[in-house]
Amino acid sequence: MTGLADRRPQPATAVTRDVNAAVHVPPPDQDAEAALAAQGLIAALPADFTVERDGGHLPAWSLGPYQFLTGEAPDTVNPSLWRNALLNMNTGLFEVVPDAVYQVRGMDLSNISFLEDPTGASQEIVVVDPLISEECAAAALGLYRGHRGRDRKIRAVIFTHSHLDHYGGVLGLFPDRELPEGVDIIAPEGFLEHAVSENVYAGNAMQRRALFMYGALLERSAQGQVDAGLGKYNSTGLAGLLPPTYTVTSDVARPGHVVSFGPVNLEFQLTPGTEAPAELNFYLPDVRTLCMAENATPTLHNLYSLRGAQVRDAKAWSEYLRQSVTWYGHRSDVLFASHFWPRWNTDETPDAIVSFLTSQADLYRFLHDQSLRLANHGRTMTEIAEDLDGALPESLAGQWFNRGYYGTVNHDIKAVYQRYLGWYDGNAAHLHTLPPEQAGPRYVEAMGGAAKVVDAARQTYENAKSADDYRWAAELLSHAVFADPADDDARALEADILEQLGYQAESGPWRNFYLAAAHELRTRPADGRPPETPSPQIITPPVLAAMPLEMLVDYLGIRLNGPEAANHPLTLGLVITGGLPDDPTQCTLQLRNGVLVHTPHRARAGTTDATYTLTRSGLNSLAVGAATPDQLRDSGDLIITTGTIDPLNTLNGLLETFSYWFGLTTP
């Protein structure tokens, strides 16, 4: 048998060919979404367009590897996903509204938009959602200015919501990566809290899973990554954060209330708990144009993101979309968003925008209501997902803008169940199940040994009549792999089977997860040692600099080994210099009961084990393990006021560093 690491992706099986052959898509000249994706192009990106990464040997972004995306779908890609991948190759600078709204698409997972003075009197602009990476944002701004005028000056930046692909590149918009005086950063209420908590608190695990979801380590090919469902993939340049200077609150967000930033007039709609915990839509009354952020794009979105995120509220999402129709639907001629392409009302389709928003509102409401209907009949999460997968009314499923390129009916239904009823299905046998490392060996032993498990899975795979047989065989083999990670036969066969499920998937994230799992099974050493790929920097210096002190200490508490810390109670007094304007300058850290407690005031005399004066930059370095207390003392960032450095060293020794390359499909 060929070594696992040398095993290449396999061709499509007969079952996979049959599954994909049954998927029919409109030809490009009859595809309404294809026409919208191409409309308004000013300057296309070159086929090999690349953005170099500052200080890196790999590019931050490149379209070059996607040139295989031409013609009919190969049998290793679901034709519907292939269609979506082709549409996402409409890249470049686009005119959305003449002399008012422009977009750069295909320079990151998300779009960056530029709002101009529709009267032409001012050269000031507002930038919307500056991508993930600073290098990409700078390149997009350069492309825009190259066609719309080099003297276009940024007056404000809008972060529509708290996901990294909508704010991470902001520093790339400005010289020296610093916010100029007089430039506003606009964001919805709760933005900073959620941007930090999502990308820092669970950032290591989330970013590791995101590698699978977006297929970052996969070859770009017909047997590898073809699309992320929402765009091509995540850029990998420098990412940062700027705190908002203007927060959109409920007092501001109401129809008819206009807020001006330079020459650009805006109305805001807050939509918390929809696609992100903090999100806003906005309306441009001067040009009858509506921006839907990421709340309405031509795909069924995630109610639960496979990378890991808070479950979203399908009912609230539906209601906010209906509110958008009420507030703006009949006032809008154009709709654009932070992913995909815009929509326009025309003489042939005068209600295109209202119909689109209404259809998506009903889509999320259907998933919400029908999931709960079946839950109240006693059906469990997995059963409901199977019951309703494929059961959308044709009036919804027949709209290509509702297809599951990013979210899916199946896992969105599970999200609704989880939101209301949680992870437990009520079956007492599932209340306290064994973890896979313990369950795997027992399953294998009960079935007569590893060879019999692998043989049973192989027979199921080779005689499969449907994808359901593949699902069952993969479940069997997962037990075998967790029983013995060195079982190359089990790993190789599970990889082959998961690969076929990936080939069949309409959802970009599902395909990528399946194929990334196959890659892990074939390449990850059985002893779990990480590959030679360096770990990414999850929490960057700009993100740390924007974090309020309380959130920074919260992250220290997440790194704390609580069971061990319970044996080392401590009280430390800190004076913080160079902090954020709203942060306290003095605080007390108490290690008690295995938790780190932060109190924003000076400790009472005689109650501390030691007190220190510490620069905020030094505390930032300590928080992410970039410097030890001794190093901070030697650099002058730490001054011992009372006591010794030993208590701080004790605390630092209880902080764990997270390993990035943990297994997902393997132990």
Side-chain angles (χ1 to χ4, degrees), residues 4-28:
L4 269 178
D6 298 324
R7 189 165 174 81
R8 301 295 298 165
Q10 301 298 294
T13 62
V15 169
T16 295
R17 291 195 298 271
D18 289 345
V19 168
N20 287 342
V23 178
H24 301 290
V25 299

Side-chain angles (χ1 to χ4, degrees), residues 568-574 589 591 596 608-612 622 629-630 638 640 642-655:
H568 301 278
L570 287 172
T571 301
L572 305 178
L574 297 181
L589 299 184
L591 199 58
L596 186 64
T608 61
D609 294 281
T611 59
Y612 310 100
L622 187 71
D630 290 322
L638 172 67
I640 303 171
T642 65
T644 70
I645 202 168
D646 292 342
L648 187 57
N649 275 327
T650 297
L651 172 59
N652 190 59
L654 294 167
L655 302 177

